[in-house]
Amino acid sequence: MKNFFLYLSIFFAFISCNKKGESTSSPVDSTAVKTKISALYDQYGKSNEMVYNQPISSDLFSPDLKKNIEKAIQISKEDIEKVKKSAHPDEKPLIFEGAIFSSLYEGFTDYKIQSMDIHDTTADVIVQFEYNMATPKVVWTDKVHLINSDGQWKIDNIDFDTIGNSKNLTTRLNDFIHNTP
């Protein structure tokens, strides 16, 4: 009987311990995270015009990231109007140049989720991108950080690959906001 309890306690200890770095996600979380990544890159990924032409989704972005994106867009739109009404309407206004949500300035022609690491209320997704409009084609990876806020997965930041000119999306937006005259 002692051996039975010993083996039973070892068994429970074994199954209750989660290896370090092992994902604790459910299939529902994995599907929800994949859906958010697809929504981001299908809605906003290929053109910066999309951030100007549609509301920034509360369902897609965390409140802090959404606020930063909206503030940067507001600054850009105000400068566009200011330049239009100025004595020099042919000057270039402050606009988002290059792909906002991707490392490569030109954007991407294809993407795929390479891996996901989901833990409780945070997730990191490695997304592999390809830009095949140049020779040789360019391949890189970005890491998308998500948080589970109010029962929904939301994009909270993106770490850019070293081919980019910025460390991450939050830094890029803050630089845009704070370097505006």
Side-chain angles (χ1 to χ4, degrees):
M1 193 64 153
K2 286 181 184 178
N3 285 341
F4 173 75
F5 285 117
L6 176 66
Y7 292 128
L8 188 61
S9 63
I10 291 171
F11 173 75
F12 282 122
F14 180 76
I15 63 169
S16 67
C17 292
N18 192 11
K19 294 178 185 171
K20 186 178 180 181
E22 184 177 296
S23 178
T24 58
S25 69
S26 71
V28 172
D29 285 333
S30 296
T31 300
V33 168
K34 285 178 186 176
T35 300
K36 294 298 176 169
I37 298 297
S38 294
L40 171 66
Y41 292 115
D42 294 345
Q43 280 182 289
Y44 298 103
K46 297 217 177 193
S47 168
N48 289 343
E49 290 177 26
M50 298 309 292
V51 296
Y52 288 102
N53 296 331
Q54 62 182 325
I56 301 303
S57 172
S58 296
D59 291 337
L60 187 57
F61 298 103
S62 70
D64 289 341
L65 185 57
K66 180 182 185 292
K67 184 179 87 175
N68 279 343
I69 294 169
E70 288 174 336
K71 181 152 178 101
I73 291 168
Q74 175 190 354
I75 289 169
S76 179
K77 285 181 175 181
E78 287 171 0
D79 198 61
I80 291 168
E81 287 305 311
K82 184 175 122 186
V83 169
K84 280 182 188 177
K85 294 175 183 175
S86 75
H88 304 284
D90 57 336
E91 287 184 358
K92 185 177 180 180
L94 295 169
I95 58 172
F96 290 114
E97 293 193 277
I100 297 173
F101 301 109
S102 161
S103 293
L104 191 66
Y105 181 90
E106 290 81 5
F108 60 89
T109 53
D110 195 23
Y111 74 92
K112 67 180 176 183
I113 294 175
Q114 197 170 29
S115 67
M116 292 191 302
D117 188 18
I118 303 172
H119 294 278
D120 300 324
T121 60
T122 62
D124 290 323
V125 180
I126 304 295
V127 181
Q128 181 178 21
F129 294 92
E130 178 180 293
Y131 182 73
N132 63 13
M133 303 297 278
T135 304
K137 76 178 177 181
V138 183
V139 177
W140 73 97
T141 57
D142 291 344
K143 182 189 285 188
V144 181
H145 302 282
L146 297 95
I147 58 170
N148 194 322
S149 174
D150 300 325
Q152 279 192 336
W153 287 101
K154 297 181 180 187
I155 293 150
D156 194 47
N157 202 1
I158 302 170
D159 286 339
F160 296 125
D161 192 285
T162 56
I163 67 167
N165 60 1
S166 186
K167 179 180 175 184
N168 61 53
L169 179 59
T170 300
T171 301
R172 182 180 286 174
L173 292 170
N174 285 334
D175 287 349
F176 186 87
I177 292 166
H178 298 302
N179 292 326
T180 304

